[in-house]
Amino acid sequence: MKRLIICIIALGLPLMSFSQEWMDITDLQYAASGEFASSTESHPTHVLQQYLLMPEDAIDEDDPLYQRLKTFAEEYGQMRLSRGLSEGSSELAKIKAEMEKMMKEYPELASELRAQLREAENQLAEYGQMGNPSVTSLSVDPAALLRDLKKLAINHKAYSQYQDIGGGLYTVTEAPVYGGLPDAHDPVVNLGEQAGYTWGAIDMEGKTVLAAKYYKIWAYYPEEDIIFLEEKGNDGAVRAGARGYDGRVRIAFIYDFYDSRGYGQPTACFSKGGKYGFVDFDGKSLSPFVYATVDNNFGFGWLVSKDGKKIGVVGEDGMEKVKPVYKELYDVWNGLFKLTREDGRVDVYDENYQFLRTENAE
């Protein structure tokens, strides 16, 4: 039953959508490629994703291009609906056979199963009333429509994925990214190794701010003018660093990877040579790269260890506050944190990393 319901619901999703100035043309690209005409599926699971960055009010309702786009969407939608109804009918026949078998084995469930079957039949019939079986082909050339839309688009080309990172910038990639129709706004999926290291950033006018050479865009903070990135160097090695929203280097790309930042503080933790250390948002060293492990999830900065056994604390400002001499974190509560000593007792610190007292462990 679940498979049929999913099949039917999928037919009702929008064919094209807009997010700010971005236009999802995945369906149009699919039709223009010829794959839609040769397929019998209504909802393929691996389709090249495509988006255009359109100028504001690029197409109005009186534009012949808009009418072509509308006609394509209507006809394409009808054809997908017809395919979905065919798939739904086949699925319903299988479900009916399964239910009849179940009713013989479990007669006490017969009433409930018949009700579910009637519901599925009614849903299929409802969608059937929306269909127009006379629409069996497209009167609009999707390839020509796609070319004309690209002429209006920023940079006159499509991107296979984008993300608004604030500050007037979008990260974009032209690497082949595949997903199901019409899953326009899902995270990136199926980005193969051959397509890696191809993320960049453009502004709303299409100007390149970050060259398309980044492996990952880890984090971004427009209010603090910083984007944490990983790039692939000429030697093939991945290096982490950070740039500003104008593209300038803020933290040199000399680190193995970016780990985390301080809550509310312009500090960041990176790995270099197998050890962790801390820098500010302009690359100035705050604590040396001597830590074997770090953990920034305990609420007062980072728990750190030099040997993987004894722990201490680096504060939100990136400076070591508590020497790594403790066995473990004992408790975090009400603005205090407690660390277990070697003798089994507990040292208590406040949110300013000031030692308050020693207690017995409960």
Side-chain angles (χ1 to χ4, degrees), residues 266-338:
T267 56
C269 177
F270 284 88
S271 172
K272 184 179 181 181
K275 299 289 185 179
Y276 294 93
F278 300 84
V279 300
D280 68 15
F281 281 6
D282 290 309
K284 178 184 176 182
S285 178
L286 299 172
S287 290
F289 285 76
V290 295
Y291 301 106
T293 63
V294 297
D295 179 0
N296 78 322
N297 293 316
F298 94 113
F300 293 93
W302 290 266
L303 288 176
V304 298
S305 175
K306 293 181 179 180
D307 60 4
K309 297 178 181 179
K310 295 182 180 180
I311 65 169
V313 176
V314 168
E316 301 288 0
D317 61 359
M319 307 292 286
E320 185 174 287
K321 302 297 185 179
V322 179
K323 292 185 179 299
V325 296
Y326 292 94
K327 292 176 62 177
E328 61 185 357
L329 176 67
Y330 181 78
D331 192 18
V332 178
W333 182 75
N334 199 27
L336 304 175
F337 63 92
K338 303 178 181 182

Side-chain angles (χ1 to χ4, degrees), residues 194-216:
Q194 74 280 4
Y197 309 105
T198 56
W199 286 88
I202 60 174
D203 63 18
M204 298 181 72
E205 284 71 46
K207 177 184 175 182
T208 297
V209 178
L210 299 178
K213 65 177 183 177
Y214 294 97
Y215 170 53
K216 285 185 179 179

Side-chain angles (χ1 to χ4, degrees), residues 71-306:
T71 299
F72 164 77
E74 291 172 349
E75 293 175 344
Y76 176 84
Q78 283 292 338
M79 293 172 68
R80 281 194 63 194
L81 178 57
S82 295
R83 292 181 184 181
L85 289 169
S86 177
E87 294 172 15
S89 296
S90 298
E91 187 67 24
L92 185 60
K94 295 177 183 178
I95 291 172
K96 188 174 182 179
E98 291 174 3
M99 283 189 169
E100 289 175 348
K101 183 179 179 181
M102 288 181 65
M103 282 186 279
K104 291 180 180 179
E105 296 178 359
Y106 308 99
E108 69 275 12
L109 299 178
S111 177
E112 180 182 348
L113 292 173
R114 287 194 186 98
Q116 292 181 11
L117 185 59
R118 282 195 299 272
E119 181 184 353
E121 289 173 334
N122 290 338
Q123 285 184 325
L124 191 62
E126 182 181 341
Y127 277 90
Q129 293 175 0
M130 298 167 55
N132 183 354
S134 66
V135 179
T136 58
S137 63
L138 298 172
S139 64
V140 175
D141 180 357
L145 178 58
L146 182 59
R147 287 195 297 269
D148 290 342
L149 286 172
K150 285 184 178 180
K151 290 176 184 178
L152 295 178
I154 299 293
N155 293 336
H156 309 300
K157 63 181 178 182
Y159 297 93
S160 55
Q161 195 57 262
Y162 72 92
Q163 183 179 11
D164 185 348
I165 62 171
L169 294 189
Y170 298 102
T171 58
V172 293
T173 181
E174 296 177 61
V177 179
Y178 294 87
L181 285 174
D183 263 341
H185 303 295
D186 277 358
V188 176
V189 293
N190 299 323
L191 184 60
E193 282 297 319
Q194 74 280 4
Y197 309 105
T198 56
W199 286 88
I202 60 174
D203 63 18
M204 298 181 72
E205 284 71 46
K207 177 184 175 182
T208 297
V209 178
L210 299 178
K213 65 177 183 177
Y214 294 97
Y215 170 53
K216 285 185 179 179
I217 298 178
W218 277 104
Y220 49 88
Y221 303 96
E223 68 282 358
E224 294 170 288
D225 186 29
I226 194 163
I227 309 168
F228 292 96
L229 305 152
E230 285 184 4
E231 68 178 16
K232 191 176 184 181
N234 294 331
D235 60 355
V238 176
R239 292 289 181 266
R243 290 183 180 269
Y245 272 69
D246 59 359
R248 75 191 188 283
V249 174
R250 292 203 60 181
I251 300 176
F253 285 78
I254 58 175
Y255 303 104
D256 299 333
F257 61 86
Y258 163 79
D259 180 82
S260 53
R261 64 159 295 180
Y263 296 112
Q265 294 284 340
T267 56
C269 177
F270 284 88
S271 172
K272 184 179 181 181
K275 299 289 185 179
Y276 294 93
F278 300 84
V279 300
D280 68 15
F281 281 6
D282 290 309
K284 178 184 176 182
S285 178
L286 299 172
S287 290
F289 285 76
V290 295
Y291 301 106
T293 63
V294 297
D295 179 0
N296 78 322
N297 293 316
F298 94 113
F300 293 93
W302 290 266
L303 288 176
V304 298
S305 175
K306 293 181 179 180

